[in-house]
Amino acid sequence: MSKKQALTEFHRGSILAAAERLFAAKGTEKTTMDDIARESEYSKATLYVYFQSKEEIVNAILLSSMVLLQKKIQAAVEHYGNWFQAYDAVCDAIIRFYGDNPTAYDTTIWEIPVNVDPEQMDKGMRDILQVGDATNAMLADFLRRGAAEGVVRIELPPNETVLLFWAALSGMVRMADSKNGYMGRSLSLERDVFLRHGARMLLDAITKGRTVE
Amino acid sequence: MSKKQALTEFHRGSILAAAERLFAAKGTEKTTMDDIARESEYSKATLYVYFQSKEEIVNAILLSSMVLLQKKIQAAVEHYGNWFQAYDAVCDAIIRFYGDNPTAYDTTIWEIPVNVDPEQMDKGMRDILQVGDATNAMLADFLRRGAAEGVVRIELPPNETVLLFWAALSGMVRMADSKNGYMGRSLSLERDVFLRHGARMLLDAITKGRTVE
Amino acid sequence: MSKKQALTEFHRGSILAAAERLFAAKGTEKTTMDDIARESEYSKATLYVYFQSKEEIVNAILLSSMVLLQKKIQAAVEHYGNWFQAYDAVCDAIIRFYGDNPTAYDTTIWEIPVNVDPEQMDKGMRDILQVGDATNAMLADFLRRGAAEGVVRIELPPNETVLLFWAALSGMVRMADSKNGYMGRSLSLERDVFLRHGARMLLDAITKGRTVE
Amino acid sequence: MSKKQALTEFHRGSILAAAERLFAAKGTEKTTMDDIARESEYSKATLYVYFQSKEEIVNAILLSSMVLLQKKIQAAVEHYGNWFQAYDAVCDAIIRFYGDNPTAYDTTIWEIPVNVDPEQMDKGMRDILQVGDATNAMLADFLRRGAAEGVVRIELPPNETVLLFWAALSGMVRMADSKNGYMGRSLSLERDVFLRHGARMLLDAITKGRTVE
DNA sequence: CATGAATGAGAATTCATTCAT
DNA sequence: AATGAATGAATTCTCATTCAT
């Protein structure tokens, strides 16, 4: 990578970092380009030098974190011989992912506009979906492996189960992170403990035997 | 309730009904006060006679639907002697709730602004949280009943489990409803089937024995 | 027309008048909505209450003046039994039209974007073209009448000739009005005299005999 | 001219050529400095090394093409012994001029800002006006020659007539070129045919006898 | 000289909200 | 009570121009 490219990458990174902070605090929708300019200490016009539109910024953040997530999940799946340990590592990766990328709630995959046929939607969005699909496929394989090892219930269709699992876990993280939502108020649980329990609960839903604490 | 109050209630209801339709179709954010005025056939200014702000409308809708949900859950819990049947009815109620109230995704409890300390936040928001708490308490009782009947795993702390359950299920509905998100693309599943499987999966996570199909 | 409509019409008129002044001074392109707001003494947002877009303002000005022109030309053609007198009146109307509506240079008919198929272009633009067509047809008839009376050269195809005549005359007005263009500098001619000569010149091009001064 | 000057001239030429292509395609207003930089394959900043502003580029193009026009007209006038043939050549040159230089419509002489008193207006603009004046003078002489030869009507004041002729012809070209304006719609005439007829019409306005086809 | 990088100053448009009647 | 009318404050995005290297 040339020095120029590196510098460009650096600036894009600074902008994305600033945007990410703001998105986390106020949500994508409520964050304006002015906000990002102020936070990143570039002028508003400069933002448009490095990104074509606000949407591109949002997508870039999402994509990069999804790629990161994909790598973490892959690492978890490949590193642990023991299926249960791998499971824990996978959950951990996902939980961290949402923790670090609140953006993922807003703009995620689940928010794609209806009327667009997948062929001609933004390159950016397509990339994101592709990474998501790949990650899902990886998890489905992981489930099959568990089934082969005799720990995952054989009757579960892997692809659908991955989706359900993913949805459930993300819902839990969402709740855990809800600023001053239920969690902090009624219960006094650490986010981490809460989510560990959640992961365990979903494990029970998927595996054969009772988990021994 | 005086005649005047009744009339006021009527107008508020008309407005809320219109707003709900629009929110369902376009989301809270994308719906403008102009839209609501047009749909409800009041003038925009009149909206402000019955509601202090757009936010109040959003909250009012949320509150009313949460009250409805509460009633449905209560009915389910109380109506079925069989715990499993009651469980199904509860899931059904929640799924329907999110189906009818996409608003619940946007503005839900999980979206409360950070900087507000719970003491002095909007009356509206407090009401919503209160209903949510009551509903949760009801579900926790339902879990305890299951434990007492020997079907729900005894070691699960009811309050926390309710939260996790709720979060997981809402995550699933969210995914199922994501317009042309993962669901429609990779799998070709009916929303209903998908969610029934999800509910079953969570049941497995909560109950003792393996569920027999 | 109801009182409300009348008021609306009044406001639209005020805005259009202001816009017209600015367009005349700076051209359509260089005139901003802020300018129009300031000049018309409405807020910028109010402009959008009465017009959907800047384009609509431009078109409205153009349309109204073209309708006016059409009426004047019709009056001229119908009022004078003598063809030559009618011709003078027609020229006068056109000259005045461009004098009062410098907008007509910028946005005129001659500026229509290429790629638009006439069926689905703005209602506004279609109206303008329609009035233009009608006016042209009227002038073509006037030419035929002259031919029938033996004063206009018989071999000229009316429709094309109208177009050429119109183009030539508008070019002349354009030059006469060019702020400090050639006119004022080299010659010291009154705009009116200059244009009267122009109209006479075009008359010579169209009619049979030499005009006697 | 020193080597350095020659090089500078070369670069200016490249830039102007690129700009001209763009102006022809999109108009002066819609062409950005970025566009010109891309098309000319210089950096945007370099453009400002060779030209002080966008306006200077526009003016330079205009000037160069007006000089070209002047030469063509001069050639036409000097080359043809027969006045009518020379007239045709002159018209042809002017028509081509506008065909190749749509810029001439936008920025032309007729668009000079009001508030500037001729003394202290841009050097660039003054140059343009000067060339225009010279060209006009040449045409006036041509008219006088025609009068001397007995073909042009003696009573026409040459200077004024040149202006009128020029204005009329440019108006016709303008109309002929209006993308899908009147021309293409109602009539189906070739641009060339249309303009030839226009030139003939103006000839009739200027000369004594009826033109024999 | 040439240029990559940065930006100030707009531009059109939108929308929740107020207020006089 | 009901509303027509008006608007301040944003919002996204654009573009000619400057300047350090």
Side-chain angles (χ1 to χ4, degrees), chain B residues 10-21:
Chain B
F10 171 78
H11 289 313
R12 285 180 59 104
S14 301
I15 293 168
L16 290 177
E20 204 165 347
R21 262 170 275 146

Side-chain angles (χ1 to χ4, degrees), chain A residues 165-183:
Chain A
F165 165 77
W166 185 285
L169 192 53
S170 78
M172 288 166 173
V173 183
R174 194 179 164 81
M175 172 163 292
D177 285 344
S178 70
K179 297 301 150 49
N180 40 14
Y182 275 107
M183 279 284 321

Side-chain angles (χ1 to χ4, degrees), chain A residues 16-31:
Chain A
L16 289 178
E20 207 166 344
R21 263 169 275 148
L22 292 165
F23 289 169
K26 319 168 41 174
T28 12
E29 209 79 4
K30 295 259 164 78
T31 300

Side-chain angles (χ1 to χ4, degrees), chain A residues 132 153 182 204 208 210, chain B residues 132-133 153 182 204 208 210:
Chain A
R153 288 208 253 141
Y182 275 107
D204 287 334
K208 272 185 169 155
R210 193 88 307 127
Chain B
D133 284 346
R153 289 208 252 139
Y182 275 105
D204 286 334
K208 271 185 169 154
R210 196 88 305 130

